[in-house]
Amino acid sequence: MQLLQSYDVSILTNDIVSLVKSTSAKKNYLFEQAINSIDERYADEVISTCLEKLLKVDDSLQQVFINKIFAHPNRKLKKVLVQVLMRKLNKLAA
């Protein structure tokens, strides 16, 4: 997959959200491919949008997404995820 362009963010987030809902091996592979295609410039937007959309569907799916990101070898994505979660916690605390 090519690196993500800014106009592809919504398409990718929709794909990731639908792939998180599935447990099949093929969809897990597609999820990994989608995660690998995230350009670092858009990682924050993609991760925060996915978290918001998954929360609207089912909060347990949000936890599945978080676990999959933490299981992914890309440390930068993990760092972005932690930053997004910290922002959300700070908003709740305020």
Side-chain angles (χ1 to χ4, degrees):
M1 287 183 136
Q2 293 181 345
L3 289 179
L4 181 69
Q5 301 295 317
S6 63
Y7 56 86
D8 293 330
V9 169
S10 65
I11 294 169
L12 182 62
T13 56
N14 289 336
D15 289 347
I16 290 172
V17 168
S18 67
L19 291 170
V20 168
K21 295 177 189 177
S22 173
T23 57
S24 74
K26 181 178 181 181
K27 294 224 174 167
N28 283 336
Y29 171 77
L30 293 173
F31 176 82
E32 288 298 319
Q33 293 302 309
I35 293 300
N36 289 335
S37 72
I38 298 174
D39 187 310
E40 291 175 24
R41 296 174 290 179
Y42 310 113
D44 187 282
E45 183 179 356
V46 169
I47 289 173
S48 62
T49 304
C50 285
L51 288 171
E52 290 170 14
K53 287 183 177 185
L54 288 167
L55 184 60
K56 290 177 184 173
V57 176
D58 182 359
D59 59 348
S60 65
L61 290 176
Q62 193 179 48
Q63 187 61 47
V64 169
F65 176 72
I66 290 168
N67 291 342
K68 286 186 175 195
I69 294 293
F70 277 126
H72 196 273
N74 186 331
R75 288 177 175 254
K76 291 182 180 181
L77 284 181
K78 293 175 193 178
K79 182 179 177 182
V80 170
L81 174 61
V82 169
Q83 290 171 343
V84 168
L85 292 173
M86 291 303 295
R87 266 198 327 267
K88 290 186 180 295
L89 283 173
N90 287 335
K91 282 183 184 176
L92 288 173

